[in-house]
Amino acid sequence: SHSYTKAGTFTIIHTVTDLSGAGNTERATVKIVPPVVTVSGLVTNNVGKPLSMAKVTLKRGLTTRTAYTNITGTYKFTKTLPGIWTITATKTGYTFSGSVTVNAPTGSVAPTITAN
């Protein structure tokens, strides 16, 4: 048994030797794929109406992703690595106070961002 601390492709070498000294070695390649989450949510105005075409930015460290809300005000970031992300929204004519921080460990999260 072995635990891997990061995603990647690894070669495993397995050698079996019997009591008489005869043996066999086999190699196998194992690909460890990181889990991913979906971060989706809603952007609304100050009275709760959905805002379409708002620019939503998802940021963690040097990684930045951008999406735009659809007609129902929803946004979605698929195949997102788990972790703590900061989400901001912008749209001409609207002011948003700060950002929303989400901890996306597994599955999906759906924060709402509301304009002032």
Side-chain angles (χ1 to χ4, degrees):
S1 173
H2 183 79
S3 296
Y4 295 90
T5 58
K6 63 180 180 175
T9 302
F10 304 92
T11 300
I12 298 171
I13 302 170
H14 184 76
T15 303
V16 176
T17 306
D18 66 14
L19 294 175
S20 69
N24 189 26
T25 300
E26 292 187 12
R27 293 177 182 267
T29 301
V30 176
K31 185 173 184 179
I32 307 297
V33 179
V36 293
V37 298
T38 298
V39 177
S40 62
L42 180 65
V43 178
T44 63
N45 66 12
N46 62 342
V47 293
K49 300 243 183 205
L51 290 178
S52 64
M53 294 308 295
K55 180 180 178 182
V56 182
T57 303
L58 182 68
K59 184 171 175 57
R60 181 178 76 176
L62 298 175
T63 303
T64 301
R65 296 175 63 192
T66 302
Y68 288 86
T69 56
N70 62 19
I71 196 165
T72 63
T74 58
Y75 62 89
K76 181 185 277 190
F77 296 96
T78 59
K79 298 181 180 177
T80 303
L81 293 175
I84 298 174
W85 293 86
T86 301
I87 304 171
T88 56
T90 58
K91 182 170 172 79
T92 302
Y94 293 89
T95 303
F96 296 88
S97 59
S99 59
V100 175
T101 301
V102 296
N103 185 0
T106 59
S108 62
V109 293
T112 297
I113 304 170
T114 305
N116 297 332

